[in-house]
Amino acid sequence: MRVFKFGGASVKDASSIKNVYDVLQKVGFDDVLLVVSAMGKTTNALEVVIKNYFDKSAELKASIQEVKKYHNQILLDLFEDEKHEVFTAVNRHFTDMEYFLGSNKSPNYNFVYDQIVGYGEIVSTSILSYYFNHSGIKNQWVDVRNLIKTDNTYRDAIVDWELTQKTISKNIKKSVLNITQGFLGSDENNFTTTLGREGSDYTAAIFAYCLNAESVTIWKDVPGVLNADPRYFENAVLLNQISYREAIELAFYGASVIHPKTLQPLQKKEIPLYVKSFVNPLLPGTSVSKGADLEPQTSCFIVKKNQLLISLSSIDFSFIMEENISAIFGLFHQYKIKVSLIQNTAISFSVCIEDKFNHFNELKAALSKKFKVTYNENVSLYTIRHFTDKAVQMVEKDKTVLVKQMSRETMQIITKE
Ligand code: ADP
Ligand code: ASP
Ligand code: MG
């Protein structure tokens, strides 16, 4: 079995969905499981709905309407017959979503978040499944929440591999084309959970692992894994083949073309990952597999924007030692703040962090009890794998360097633009 994952960009409008249909016709869909994300920027739009709901904003209705209108336009572009049952099916999902908001009593933001954002994937897969059945690609819509079981860490759920393995092996029929949702799972009470933003790549890997798939292909708007994000770097070049290790490193440092959690389950079973273009599906793209001889010869550049550089120094000139450092990391963990670089001297300790869940103010207050806290907002963290002098000069050009750190293979530079 092959697992294919189509992300938001590949299903952002009717012509993109028709393109997915063409891709399947070209590369075949026998014994395939399709994992699909929410359409275009739907998850962001649903995040606005959730914010409006909690803020009790007058914009709540309008923000829901916007999401509905966007999907309705896609339906009108895909189906000539406005009486087709897909219209009712999609409408029913949105009615369920509104019913949830109308009756919800939980003040837990993350819980409500997962119950609402999940509709992005539920709706997108319904539309795709109906459209493909209508156009001759017979398929089975599968609710991933019955298969991927997780704990109840809403917005960042941890997979229960044993249960997930059981439900997937029992319920996935290999003889049909299955279409299911990326990003979602469910907890022991069957409430929707999500695996972290951009988590659909990871979903594909979970299925591949549990089904002992032959390969996973993630279809992207780029020709494959490049040596840099083409949005920020000119002349990025395609990496034809890389090892799991290199891919894990690139994804870990922030090459957003692959979700970092994707690689580990695949590597464990040596299932190859292909990153291919949905525009040119017959081109080979990038293959990620086992092998130390696959390292790229070129420098690879990764940039993470909008990071925070925090420096802590002890108020009484005492050293910042193991005990303090473990307490500091305890706080990062508590506030779900991701640390991407660490540097310490005798009495000061600097970290570059990403505050995905907006907890920085709480963290700052907690740290300020023991340390003098200074920080720079909005810094960029550049990582260069396989760096050369020329590569470093290119990154540093016209920027103020705040921190620079180097290991054998990797250079990291924090800059203020
Ligand atoms: P999806 O539609 O699956 O969500 P993403 O938008 O998450 O896809 O990933 C594709 C994007 O990743 C590209 O458009 C590109 O801007 C970005 N990207 C970041 N780093 C790289 C890289 N090293 N190679 C290719 N693309 C990259
Ligand atoms: N729709 C989710 C997101 O935008 C998951 C994904 O696309 O991978 O984060
Ligand atoms: Mg994405």
Side-chain angles (χ1 to χ4, degrees), residues 5-9 36-44 47 113 117 120-121 182-184 194 196-203 220 259:
K5 179 258 171 171
F6 285 93
V36 183
S37 303
M39 295 179 163
K41 303 276 178 222
T42 299
T43 308
N44 294 1
E47 283 185 341
Y113 179 102
V117 286
E121 271 70 13
F183 181 48
L184 313 181
T194 61
R197 283 299 309 262
E198 304 294 327
S200 299
D201 293 347
Y202 181 39
T203 305
K220 299 276 171 174
H259 188 280

Side-chain angles (χ1 to χ4, degrees), residues 109-122:
Y109 195 96
N110 292 347
F111 166 77
V112 173
Y113 179 102
D114 279 2
Q115 308 322 301
I116 298 303
V117 286
Y119 283 101
E121 271 70 13
I122 297 291

Side-chain angles (χ1 to χ4, degrees), residues 282-347:
L282 297 177
L283 292 183
T286 300
S287 110
V288 182
S289 58
K290 195 182 150 196
D293 51 336
L294 305 174
E295 304 318 325
Q297 301 302 310
T298 64
S299 297
C300 296
F301 301 86
I302 300 142
V303 57
K304 280 183 151 192
K305 304 253 175 188
N306 209 0
Q307 306 288 297
L308 276 153
L309 177 64
I310 315 179
S311 298
L312 308 175
S313 47
S314 54
I315 294 169
D316 56 1
F317 276 86
S318 60
F319 297 134
I320 299 191
M321 298 291 284
E322 289 79 0
E323 192 191 322
N324 283 325
I325 294 177
S326 92
I328 295 169
F329 271 88
L331 289 172
F332 292 146
H333 181 66
Q334 181 183 336
Y335 292 112
K336 292 188 148 294
I337 283 179
K338 193 169 173 298
V339 175
S340 28
L341 182 144
I342 308 160
Q343 197 160 59
N344 68 322
T345 67
I347 57 164

